[in-house]
């Protein structure tokens, strides 16, 4: 087949593919709608890819009808070469359409299921549609459905799914965290009482909201949140939900008495069990980061020591995960040896291989602070550890004097 040369002005500057729905941005450059929307919304950029000029309104995409007709005419002329004619694109979603749909649903609660179904189909089409839904007030509408006790489980679950799907902006998340305490309470109720799917969406939404919350809100987190998060960890609902739960704990534990609340909810035992099972680097790092936070209080250290595999699994992760993982594991063990180093604990650290692992740390390349903590531990308990038969002879040479 004869090769057809496509006119350069028919191609999208981003993808170099034939434009199907050409639109012009405020910088004057024309792009294919799908490509420029992916650039603006998925890549979260507000500049023109060609001119690098800041775009005043990322949603103001003006259809270039003249160019579209030229492309369609060119396709028709070259149909014998296997070129398909590009259909006339549908009119993009307008904010007023969504506003009208939401207003109707607000006035007639019986229309909620139908409205939620339409919102879902709209949201799945494109990132632009999801942004348009947020701008039209869909976030507040969905939050109100979740807040209402009389809402059916099906409706609340659908609203949760949609709210997560929207990938709402930081501004909307801050608004929910600051002005909608009822919504945060509702998420906590779902975390503790919902089905697997709704709990997964709830923990992921809660994580994204607390990431932008102010310190006073983080300090005042209720114990129910930690109970729900620990249940998510124990039930292993999904990788996504587990990762969100770990990040959420990492976000809130440094504030106020949250460490103790998390420990009382059973977080330490849940984290040790996860650490025993996981081989994935990122999961191990997240777990060790949270364990390090919890072991900075006496209650957390006591719970780690209470678990039969606590010391052993933390020690096992040293030099097997990453520099971050090694650093956090050494910090956990350092806190144990300094503040909870009873004769029984010191002996257990020797028996489960902690001391051998610490000697090995001194032989390999690790951060200065990690080696410093390791040295301090080995010197602190040298009377018990240094001459023990539990330490392999080739590692004894590393033992600090």
């Amino acid at each position: 087949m004869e090769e057809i040369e496509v006119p350069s002005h028919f191609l999208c500057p981003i993808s170099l593919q034939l434009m199907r729905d050409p639109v012009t941005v405020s910088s004057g450059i024309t792009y294919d709608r799908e490509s420029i929307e992916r650039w603006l919304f998925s890549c979260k950029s507000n500049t023109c890819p060609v001119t690098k000029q800041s775009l005043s309104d990322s949603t103001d995409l003006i259809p270039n009808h003249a160019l579209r007709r030229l492309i369609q005419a060119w396709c028709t002329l070259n149909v014998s070469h296997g070129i398909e004619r590009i259909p006339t694109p549908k009119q993009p979603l307008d904010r007023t359409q969504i506003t009208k749909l939401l207003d109707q649903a607000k006035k007639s609660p019986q229309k909620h299921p139908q409205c939620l179904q339409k919102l879902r189909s709209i949201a799945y089409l494109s990132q632009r549609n999801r942004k348009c839904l947020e701008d039209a007030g869909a976030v507040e509408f969905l939050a109100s459905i979740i807040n209402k006790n009389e809402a059916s489980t099906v409706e609340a679950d659908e609203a949760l799914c949609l709210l997560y799907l929207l990938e709402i902006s930081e501004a909307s998340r801050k608004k929910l965290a600051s002005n909608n305490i009822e919504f945060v309470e509702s998420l906590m109720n779902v975390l503790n009482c919902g089905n697997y799917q709704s709990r997964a969406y709830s923990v992921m939404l809660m994580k994204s909201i607390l990431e932008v919350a102010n310190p006073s809100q983080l300090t005042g987190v209720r114990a129910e949140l930690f109970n729900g998060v620990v249940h998510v960890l124990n039930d292993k609902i999904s990788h996504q939900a587990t990762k969100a739960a770990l990040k959420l704990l990492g976000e809130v534990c440094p504030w106020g008495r949250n460490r103790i609340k998390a420990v009382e909810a059973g977080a330490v035992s849940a984290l040790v069990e996860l650490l025993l099972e996981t081989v994935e680097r990122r999961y191990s790092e997240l777990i060790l980061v949270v364990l390090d936070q919890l072991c900075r209080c006496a209650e957390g250290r006591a719970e780690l020591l209470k678990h039969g595999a606590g010391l052993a699994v933390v020690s096992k992760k040293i030099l097997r995960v990453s520099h971050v993982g090694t650093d956090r594991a050494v910090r956990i063990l350092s806190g144990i040896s300094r503040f909870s180093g009873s004769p029984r604990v010191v002996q257990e650290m020797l028996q489960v291989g902690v001391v051998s692992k610490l000697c090995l740390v001194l032989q390999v390349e690790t951060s200065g602070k990690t080696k410093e903590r390791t040295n301090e531990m080995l010197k602190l308990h040298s009377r018990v550890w240094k001459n023990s038969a539990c330490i392999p002879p080739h590692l004894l040479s590393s033992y600090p004097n």
Side-chain angles (χ1 to χ4, degrees), residues 95-107:
R95 178 173 171 172
T96 56
Q97 296 172 264
I98 301 171
T99 304
K100 183 179 178 181
L101 177 64
L102 294 175
D103 287 343
Q104 289 174 347
K106 289 172 186 175
K107 292 175 184 176

Side-chain angles (χ1 to χ4, degrees), residues 72-365:
Q72 287 176 323
W74 179 86
C75 289
T76 301
L77 287 173
N78 290 279
V79 69
S80 60
H81 298 286
I83 305 295
E84 294 184 8
R85 185 180 185 278
I86 294 173
T88 301
K90 294 180 180 178
Q91 187 72 17
L93 185 71
D94 185 71
R95 178 173 171 172
T96 56
Q97 296 172 264
I98 301 171
T99 304
K100 183 179 178 181
L101 177 64
L102 294 175
D103 287 343
Q104 289 174 347
K106 289 172 186 175
K107 292 175 184 176
S108 306
Q110 65 269 22
K111 292 184 178 179
H112 282 179
Q114 184 182 0
C115 176
L116 289 169
Q117 190 174 7
K118 287 183 179 179
L119 291 177
R120 178 191 274 265
S121 62
I122 290 169
Y124 270 118
L125 286 175
S126 70
Q127 184 69 38
R128 178 192 178 278
N129 281 7
R130 294 193 279 277
K131 180 68 168 61
C132 197
L133 285 171
E134 180 179 345
D135 292 342
V139 172
E140 293 78 6
F141 171 71
L142 294 170
S144 71
I145 289 181
I146 297 166
N147 290 345
K148 290 179 181 177
N149 293 325
E150 67 271 21
S152 71
T153 303
V154 174
E155 284 183 19
D157 289 352
E158 183 73 12
L160 268 172
C161 174
L162 263 169
L163 205 51
Y164 175 72
L165 178 64
L166 290 183
E167 299 177 352
I168 55 179
S169 65
E170 183 176 330
S172 289
R173 285 182 281 146
K174 282 184 176 179
K175 190 175 178 181
L176 283 174
S178 304
N179 305 331
N180 203 327
I181 303 302
E182 187 182 0
F183 175 69
V184 176
E185 296 282 332
S186 298
L187 285 185
M188 281 197 282
N189 290 337
V190 174
L191 267 179
N192 285 283
C193 306
N195 58 44
Y196 270 26
Q197 186 180 48
S198 62
R199 287 164 62 203
Y201 286 130
S202 182
V203 75
M204 290 186 285
L205 281 169
M206 186 69 85
K207 187 267 298 183
S208 67
I209 288 171
L210 292 180
E211 279 177 345
V212 297
N214 61 51
S216 64
Q217 291 167 319
L218 294 174
T219 303
V221 171
R222 288 168 44 193
E224 287 82 356
L225 172 69
F226 297 99
N227 292 331
V229 170
V230 170
H231 288 154
V232 169
L233 293 176
N234 286 330
D235 290 341
K236 303 177 183 66
I237 296 174
S238 69
H239 289 304
Q240 234 179 338
T242 299
K243 191 173 288 187
L246 292 170
K247 289 182 177 180
L248 189 155
L249 287 175
E251 195 71 42
V252 300
C253 280
W255 300 93
R257 289 176 54 81
N258 289 344
R259 289 190 184 98
I260 296 174
K261 294 174 189 174
V263 171
E264 290 174 347
V268 173
S269 177
L271 292 169
V272 171
E273 292 296 327
L274 278 177
L275 201 56
L276 282 166
E277 296 175 8
T278 187
V279 293
E280 187 180 325
R281 181 184 67 84
R282 183 57 181 150
Y283 270 136
S284 296
E285 284 181 353
L286 286 171
I287 295 166
L288 288 167
V289 165
V290 180
L291 265 181
D292 176 36
Q293 288 286 347
L294 299 183
C295 286
R296 295 184 192 186
C297 67
E299 294 83 353
R301 293 191 294 273
E303 285 298 309
L304 182 72
L305 292 172
K306 189 186 295 184
H307 195 292
L311 284 174
V313 71
V314 171
S315 170
K316 184 180 179 181
K317 294 299 177 179
I318 293 176
L319 303 177
R320 287 194 176 187
V321 178
S322 63
H323 288 302
V324 172
T326 295
D327 177 64
R328 293 293 178 159
V330 168
R331 285 174 64 157
I332 293 167
L333 296 173
S334 175
I336 295 289
S337 74
R338 288 175 61 197
F339 304 113
S340 305
S342 66
R344 182 190 67 79
V345 171
V346 170
Q347 195 62 38
E348 184 183 350
M349 292 177 80
L350 186 63
Q351 291 170 346
V352 300
V354 170
V355 184
S356 296
K357 211 55 175 292
L358 294 176
C359 290
L360 191 58
V361 168
L362 297 180
Q363 292 188 346
V364 301
E365 186 178 344

